[in-house]
Amino acid sequence: MAGSPLVVIAGPPGSGKGTQCARLGEQLGFSHVSTGDALRDEIERGTRMGRHVRAWVNSGRLVPDRVAVEVVLDRLDTQPEAPAALLDGFPRTVAQGEALEHLRPGAVELAIALVVPRATLVRRLALRNRDDDHSRALGCRLAAFEQETRPMLAWFAARGLLVEVDGDQPDAASAALVARLMAGICAASEA
Ligand code: AMP
């Protein structure tokens, strides 16, 4: 699905990006590409890329932009046809946003930022048990969000593509809100 519209789902670790994407994918028939899942899959399968990125992912640092772009385009190109694709956790830096715009000009229809108070993030993450959920990696991931991803959100805002959504609402309410936003965007793009 090389030419399909893209919807970016962004937010700090624990903001519910994966949960929202799964729900929205089901509701709207959009495909869902998660760079974090793709990277963990490479690590688990012990591929060359997996061995290359393991230390970055497990310590909570962002993998190099070039690798993130490669993995997301690879996954996008092998998705079945769908009206749009949800990009979960990509782009995460301005450089990734620029690379995406260069490779898929005008493809991003909307970037949705899930806004969740820090105390909620920490509480949610304490309930998970991923290799990068230990406290040092967690601090690193929250810092990466502030330092690298916030400027990327500003980059989308400057292009009129950013919408912020309260990710601390019960799942159904915020998913419905996001779904309405996205349904409107898609209807407009079909007209
Ligand atoms: P996530 O599952 O989205 O929380 O991502 C888990 C980890 O994968 C992150 O902490 C990074 O190490 C890596 N990662 C995921 N997406 C990206 C990206 N777009 N750019 C760089 N690193 C990423």
Side-chain angles (χ1 to χ4, degrees):
M1 45 180 295
S4 63
L6 304 174
V7 177
V8 172
I9 308 290
S15 59
K17 298 187 293 293
T19 308
Q20 296 279 6
C21 285
R23 199 184 281 280
L24 292 166
E26 208 170 286
Q27 284 171 346
L28 302 172
F30 289 5
S31 58
H32 171 197
V33 173
S34 156
T35 36
D37 285 350
L39 291 166
R40 282 185 289 276
D41 178 52
E42 298 282 341
I43 292 171
E44 226 162 80
R45 289 191 292 123
T47 63
R48 200 159 156 247
M49 180 187 282
R51 292 194 304 275
H52 179 56
V53 300
R54 177 180 216 116
W56 274 293
V57 172
N58 287 348
S59 65
R61 284 173 297 155
L62 295 184
V63 307
D65 290 327
R66 183 182 43 79
V67 177
V69 171
E70 182 185 328
V71 83
V72 83
L73 289 186
D74 200 53
R75 301 278 159 147
L76 264 180
D77 286 344
T78 53
Q79 290 297 308
E81 276 307 309
L86 301 162
L87 294 185
D88 169 354
F90 181 92
R92 248 161 153 120
T93 66
V94 171
Q96 291 177 16
E98 286 172 346
L100 183 60
E101 182 53 29
H102 178 70
L103 295 163
R104 298 276 200 282
V108 175
E109 297 273 355
L110 188 65
I112 296 171
L114 302 176
V115 180
V116 176
R118 194 179 168 106
T120 311
L121 300 176
V122 173
R123 199 177 59 239
R124 281 187 192 164
L125 289 164
L127 298 172
R128 298 196 322 199
N129 194 22
R130 252 170 44 184
D131 285 347
D132 58 349
D133 282 340
H134 57 90
S135 63
R136 185 130 52 88
L138 194 52
C140 206
R141 288 162 67 213
L142 288 165
F145 179 79
E146 293 303 329
Q147 288 159 17
E148 307 276 357
T149 307
R150 274 214 195 280
M152 184 277 294
L153 295 176
W155 188 84
F156 278 116
R159 284 157 182 75
L161 291 172
L162 186 74
V163 169
E164 292 195 336
V165 166
D166 182 353
D168 200 20
Q169 293 295 313
D171 277 359
S174 80
L177 170 60
V178 176
R180 240 192 351 263
L181 287 167
M182 296 206 317
I185 295 281
C186 294
S189 71
E190 279 166 16

